[in-house]
Every structure is written in C-alpha cells, then in structure tokens.
C-alpha cells in the first residue's frame, strides 16, 4: 500500500514538472512573438501654406491672318524662322527675292507652319494650282470654295516653288527691278502685282519683318549692316503715328487717342476691326 502511494506521488511530481516546463516555454514563445520591429518613420515634405506659388509666364500669342486665321505663339514663329532662314537665304542668292520677304510670306501664309495647307500639303505660300501644274494637289476653301492648291512632299519644295513662281510670271517682273534690300518696296510691290487681295498685306509683311529683324538675313546675303533707326515713340505719336503693340485693339486705341473706331478705320483704310502687331496706325 505504501509503495502504491509512493508511486502515485512520484507520477504526480513528474507530471507537475512537465506542466511547468510547458507553461514556461509557451510564455517564452509568447514574449518572442510579442516583440515587433517598429517601422521606420516616413517623412513627407509639405509646402508651407504661406510659400509663394510658382510664377508661370504666359506665352505671347500672335494672330496671323492668311488663307485662314491661325493662332500661333512668338516662340513658334522664332523656331519657324530658325528652320527656314537658310533656305530663304539660298533662294535669295539664286533667284534674287529678299530672304526677309520670303520668310515673312511663309510665316504669314502658313501661320508659321500651323495652317491647314502647310499641314496637309506642305504648301507654305498659298500657291494655287494654276494652269500647267502637274503635281499633286489638295482642295481648300479660299476666295472660293474647294479651290485647287499645290501639294509638296517637303516644305523646302514649297520655298523653291515660291521663288520660281515669282520669277517665271511676267506680272511680278517689276519686283526684280527693286533694290533687293528694300523689303518695304517688295511688300508693296507684291500687293500691287496681285499676289494677295488683302489691302493690309504689305503692312502685315513689313510688321513681321521688323518685329523679328528678318532684314538681318538680307544683310548676310548682301554683306551690309542695315538696321532700322529707332524712332522715339513720343515723336511718332506727336506726328500722329502709332505702332500696334501686343494686346492692342481698335477699341482700346480709340480710347487711348480719344477718337472713334470708325474714324480710325476711315483714316487707315481699314475694312474691318482687325489689326496686327507691328502695323502702323494713323491716329490723327
């Protein structure tokens, strides 16, 4: 009996020890799993509420009127000049047409390459098919609906054809008697010879040439140093002349010079209210 009791006590003691070890192990494991690594802090840069906003300078927009109205930007016009100035100078050397006139016409007629004809036909001068044209063509609304215009593979071909167009037609012969450096006379001569029907065509060309100093390319070909003499705006205004600036309208000028819009249009032979940057306006 005593042996049985002793055996029971021994079994009880063994079981008690195993139970204690099991609890300790679980506790240890529990502590291990409970320890978690803290994530690294994330720092987010925020702009102070009172910090100044970045200044965005608006692009200078220019409206060009040719076979259709095209809105383009000053920097686009300068890129256009950079792309085609060498071609214009080479054509001047070969055919005698001032590079300034060629570039100004290209800018005006094609909207600095953004016009429909320039995009669809590489036609930068609005040259129509006319009798004898055997190349490709496109239809485009101009003086009449769906007129035939020449189509070129490359824009450079349009520049070459422009020179050939002027040199091969008798009605433009008077142009080649003019001084190659006199862009004003050439601009007026083109209108007189019937290149364009727009009465403001010469003023538009001259305005583009003087705004972008296109006469510099004539200088390179002619080896001269011509430059426009800077005029005192106060003297010009006193003489009743004003050069149109970006943002001017006939209405704003009428208020500025205390004159009606109709009077301005009459003095300047304007058929509508459209004016262009660089255009000379009589104010009295």
């Amino acid at each position: 009996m005593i042996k049985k009791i002793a055996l029971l006590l021994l079994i009880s003691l063994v079981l008690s020890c195993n139970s204690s070890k099991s609890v300790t192990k679980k506790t240890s494991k529990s502590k291990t799993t409970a320890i978690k690594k803290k994530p690294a802090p994330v720092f987010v840069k925020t702009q102070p509420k009172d910090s100044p906003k970045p200044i965005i300078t608006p692009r200078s927009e220019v409206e060009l009127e040719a076979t259709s109205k095209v809105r383009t930007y000053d920097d686009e016009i300068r890129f256009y000049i950079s792309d085609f100035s060498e071609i214009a100078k080479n054509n001047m050397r070969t055919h005698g047409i001032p590079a300034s006139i060629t570039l100004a016409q290209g800018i005006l007629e094609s909207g600095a390459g953004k016009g429909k004809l320039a995009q669809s036909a590489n036609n930068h001068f609005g040259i129509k098919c006319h009798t004898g044209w055997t190349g490709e063509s496109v239809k485009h609304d101009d003086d009449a609906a769906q007129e035939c215009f020449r189509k070129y593979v490359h824009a450079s071909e349009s520049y070459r054809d422009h020179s050939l167009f002027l040199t091969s037609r008798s009605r433009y012969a008077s142009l080649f008697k003019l001084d190659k450096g006199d862009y004003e006379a050439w601009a007026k001569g083109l209108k007189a010879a019937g290149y364009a029907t727009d009465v403001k065509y010469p003023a538009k060309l001259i305005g583009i040439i003087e705004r972008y100093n296109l006469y510099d390319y004539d200088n390179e070909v002619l080896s001269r140093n011509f430059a426009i003499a800077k005029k005192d705006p106060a003297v010009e205004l006193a003489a009743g002349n004003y050069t149109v600036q970006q943002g001017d309208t006939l209405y704003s000028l009428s208020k500025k010079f205390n004159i009606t819009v109709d009077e301005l249009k009459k003095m300047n032979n304007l058929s509508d209210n459209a004016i262009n940057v660089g255009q000379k306006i009589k104010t009295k």
Side-chain angles (χ1 to χ4, degrees), residues 27-72:
T27 302
S28 175
K29 184 176 181 180
S30 175
K31 286 183 180 180
T32 301
T33 55
I35 299 173
K36 295 181 180 180
K37 188 177 180 180
K38 293 182 179 180
V42 178
F43 297 97
V44 180
K45 291 183 178 180
T46 57
Q47 187 177 16
K49 292 181 180 179
D50 58 348
S51 63
K53 294 181 179 179
I55 299 174
I56 301 174
T57 304
R59 301 172 76 184
S60 177
E61 189 175 55
V62 181
E63 183 169 339
L64 300 174
E65 299 176 61
T67 52
S68 62
K69 289 187 176 181
V70 177
R71 289 191 179 276
T72 187

Side-chain angles (χ1 to χ4, degrees), residues 2-18:
I2 295 174
K3 288 182 179 180
K4 288 182 180 180
I5 294 172
L7 181 58
L8 289 173
L9 288 173
L10 180 60
I11 292 171
S12 176
L13 181 61
V14 171
L15 290 174
S16 176
C17 289
N18 287 339

Side-chain angles (χ1 to χ4, degrees), residues 10 46 52 70 85 88 95 103 127 136 146 159 173 177 186 189 227 233 240 246-249 265:
L10 180 60
T46 57
V70 177
S85 58
H95 303 286
L103 285 169
I127 298 179
E136 292 187 64
Q146 294 298 286
Y159 268 73
K177 297 177 183 178
W186 274 79
Q246 188 71 34
D248 284 339
T249 64
K265 290 171 68 175

